[in-house]
Amino acid sequence: MEFENTIGLETHVQLKTRTKMFCSCLLKTGCEPNTNVCPVCLGYPGALPVMNKEAVKLTVMSGMMLGCEVNRHATFDRKNYFYPDMAKDYQISENGNPLCIGGGVEITRADGTKKFIRINHIHLEEDAAKINHYATTSGVDFNRGGTPLMEIVSEPDMESADDAIAYLTALKEMLVYAGVSDCNLEEGNMRSDVNISIRPKGETKLGTKVEIKNMNSFSGIHAALEYEARRQRECMAHSIPIVQETRRWDPEAMETASMRSKENAHDYRYFPEPDLVPVELSAEVVEEWRKLLPEKPEARRARMIEEYGIAEYDAEVLSQHKANADYFEAAAKGLDKKTAKQLCNLYMSDVMALMNASGKSIGECAMAPAALAALVKLAAAGTINGPTLKELLPEIFEKGGDPEAIVKERGLGAVSDTGALEAFVDQAIAANPGPVQDFKNGKKAAAGFFVGQVMKLSKGKADPKIVGKLVAQKLAAL
């Protein structure tokens, strides 16, 4: 019998706020344990929560970015459970009335086909503390406790590990674009609970669900889903019942292992949070937040291809990081399509190589977008040649400056005067009888040697195209 996968993700995203969800403690990584805490996030009796408006705003903006319907009347609930990572023995979350409902993400599969992954809802909650395990003891660090978390719950619309990664990649791209989260997986800004079941192909009823908890890397999620899909198929092949349970991923053994049975869903005894009033959002406030949203990455890619005449691949790479796309568009403003394509080629190759070598993002370098545009325009006009452009680019990347002024001050303008270049060609031919004879003997590659010699004599200022033509003419006349 042939089976198919049904996969859904519950993705927790840390919101980009300065303080915690229900108190004014700062959100900072790398601090000594339990230094950014207060009676509220430590769960002291009588301490009252105060809602972080920025967290509500960022959640609503995320929902709008993902096509959700904004729930203008949202309420918070207490999710009761006993565990050391939640000192007050309950988590403040949204159960019945989440901030965002519906929506979804369109993914592009490897074969080029597209699929729409539906979102069930997005709710806002506080994060738990972090439990650190040592050789013989464990400790709880409450610095993370109370961090604003947005949980994005998908429908089980994904059919493979590749679908899941495409969904998460698109999700991350849009959330970073909107500025709601850094989505830094290494710092735990984005992590997912993965749900997978299998069913006979063509069946509509979902199979028995297995959950893999707290996955914080795309590679781990992909490997865990691939393994779990195989494991469940093997169970079916050997008539072993699949149990509804929570499993964990062991990255060393590259397999999942059972943690606890979930034959019956946990009874968290949700009830309305009595210390918080409902969130009431006016249509005017929602519209005001909508105006803060950037252009969606997919729409931006299509527009950049049309507006600047650049390749689809280049638009894809540039738009993956908003800072790169913003910089490119600022530099390309006012350029014709031909020059914009030259700018794109330079950015994709040399500029990105400089970023990688220096470890600097485009926003951290000293080169203004106008300076990069000026360099490209100088080269396009023939004022400087390619070698001079490549020589100036690293300097301006590191130190900034006006390319036109630098070229003028240092006399770096390209030599295109035919008379001057002919003199250099004659000088190179006269000084190198050996390569001349090689050319006469049929070694046409010797012509390239003379082009190089002329470039040296001109200190790199000669126009290589004109030099090539002059060398060919002079050698042919010998």
Side-chain angles (χ1 to χ4, degrees):
M1 183 181 294
E2 191 176 355
F3 292 92
E4 62 183 11
N5 305 322
T6 53
I7 297 168
L9 301 180
E10 299 167 17
T11 304
H12 300 81
V13 178
Q14 179 176 327
L15 294 169
K16 206 171 180 178
T17 59
R18 194 176 67 87
T19 57
K20 294 185 181 182
M21 184 65 221
F22 298 114
C23 65
S24 58
C25 292
L26 292 177
L27 288 173
K28 292 175 68 177
T29 57
C31 298
E32 286 293 312
N34 299 310
T35 52
N36 294 328
V37 295
C38 72
V40 174
C41 54
L42 287 175
Y44 284 12
L48 295 175
V50 177
M51 196 178 305
N52 187 328
K53 179 183 175 182
E54 184 68 11
V56 174
K57 171 186 168 184
L58 295 180
T59 302
V60 170
M61 286 177 63
S62 301
M64 290 189 287
M65 196 76 177
L66 298 169
C68 303
E69 177 189 341
V70 177
N71 182 11
R72 288 169 43 201
H73 175 86
T75 56
F76 283 87
D77 303 276
R78 289 187 180 183
K79 178 182 178 180
N80 296 272
Y81 69 91
F82 181 74
Y83 203 66
D85 64 8
M86 191 60 72
K88 55 185 180 282
D89 295 337
Y90 62 85
Q91 176 189 33
I92 301 177
S93 181
E94 291 178 316
N95 183 41
N97 289 294
L99 276 166
C100 305
I101 302 163
V105 174
E106 186 175 71
I107 64 170
T108 303
R109 289 165 152 170
D111 62 2
T113 60
K114 295 185 181 296
K115 181 175 175 63
F116 189 75
I117 308 300
R118 295 171 299 155
I119 290 172
N120 181 281
H121 73 272
I122 304 174
H123 66 261
L124 183 57
E125 62 187 20
E126 60 178 335
D127 202 357
K130 183 180 181 182
I131 300 178
N132 297 312
H133 299 289
Y134 307 102
T136 57
T137 60
S138 294
V140 184
D141 180 5
F142 283 93
N143 284 348
R144 192 180 75 181
T147 298
L149 271 191
M150 175 173 65
E151 184 170 342
I152 304 170
V153 181
S154 83
E155 297 288 2
D157 288 348
M158 289 157 268
E159 299 170 17
S160 67
D162 289 343
D163 280 359
I165 300 308
Y167 165 79
L168 288 170
T169 301
L171 198 65
K172 177 183 176 182
E173 185 180 56
M174 282 197 276
L175 296 177
V176 172
Y177 246 70
V180 302
S181 175
D182 291 328
C183 291
N184 188 319
L185 277 73
E186 288 77 16
E187 294 181 4
N189 292 166
M190 187 178 187
R191 54 191 194 269
S192 294
D193 296 336
V194 180
N195 298 300
I196 178 171
S197 63
I198 65 171
R199 63 186 177 190
K201 204 167 184 66
E203 177 65 70
T204 56
K205 184 181 177 183
L206 292 173
T208 303
K209 180 179 71 174
V210 169
E211 182 180 36
I212 309 167
K213 294 288 286 185
N214 244 350
M215 303 293 294
N216 63 358
S217 77
F218 286 4
S219 60
I221 290 170
H222 191 279
L225 283 170
E226 291 269 279
Y227 172 85
E228 189 58 26
R230 288 195 306 271
R231 186 190 72 84
Q232 292 188 23
R233 280 167 171 75
E234 288 174 7
C235 286
M236 296 299 287
H238 294 88
S239 300
I240 300 172
I242 297 171
V243 179
Q244 183 175 339
E245 61 180 343
T246 298
R247 298 177 73 86
R248 64 176 179 84
W249 172 245
D250 185 336
E252 293 185 6
M254 292 294 286
E255 61 184 26
T256 62
S258 181
M259 289 174 63
R260 60 180 178 268
S261 170
K262 288 188 72 172
E263 289 186 13
N264 296 305
H266 282 297
D267 179 12
Y268 289 115
R269 294 176 292 118
Y270 282 102
F271 64 83
E273 169 55 65
D275 295 330
L276 290 170
V277 296
V279 177
E280 301 286 354
L281 300 174
S282 68
E284 291 75 21
V285 166
V286 172
E287 193 54 38
E288 181 183 318
W289 291 347
R290 191 186 301 278
K291 291 176 182 175
L292 299 175
L293 294 175
E295 183 179 19
K296 289 185 179 182
E298 190 66 34
R300 188 173 200 175
R301 279 191 276 276
R303 180 180 56 76
M304 287 171 71
I305 293 168
E306 173 62 29
E307 193 169 324
Y308 305 110
I310 62 177
E312 184 178 347
Y313 172 79
D314 294 340
E316 177 81 31
V317 173
L318 285 171
S319 64
Q320 280 176 358
H321 298 283
K322 188 172 181 292
N324 284 335
D326 287 348
Y327 187 99
F328 170 78
E329 292 213 68
K333 189 176 181 180
L335 299 182
D336 58 51
K337 283 189 177 182
K338 182 179 178 181
T339 313
K341 286 178 75 172
Q342 292 171 338
L343 171 70
C344 180
N345 292 338
L346 185 66
Y347 194 97
M348 292 286 293
S349 55
D350 297 66
V351 175
M352 285 195 169
L354 287 169
M355 286 193 280
N356 289 334
S358 65
K360 292 180 179 178
S361 68
I362 195 63
E364 294 169 330
C365 78
M367 180 173 64
L372 181 61
L375 265 178
V376 173
K377 284 191 279 188
L378 287 170
T383 307
I384 60 173
N385 59 24
T388 302
L389 183 151
K390 301 280 178 122
E391 179 186 330
L392 285 175
L393 183 61
E395 177 186 338
I396 296 173
F397 182 89
E398 285 294 332
K399 301 177 183 177
D402 178 0
E404 291 185 27
I406 293 171
V407 168
K408 187 175 180 180
E409 179 187 331
R410 299 182 191 174
L412 298 175
V415 178
S416 55
D417 178 72
T418 305
L421 293 178
E422 279 191 22
F424 285 136
V425 173
D426 290 339
Q427 184 180 343
I429 290 174
N432 297 280
V436 170
Q437 191 58 48
D438 289 341
F439 182 83
K440 287 181 177 180
N441 292 338
K443 294 184 178 179
K444 303 302 180 185
F449 168 80
F450 289 107
V451 173
Q453 291 301 301
V454 172
M455 295 305 293
K456 285 183 181 179
L457 290 170
S458 67
K459 297 180 180 178
K461 299 178 188 177
D463 186 320
K465 290 182 180 178
I466 299 175
V467 172
K469 290 178 182 177
L470 290 174
V471 166
Q473 291 169 6
K474 293 280 186 179
L475 291 175
L478 293 176

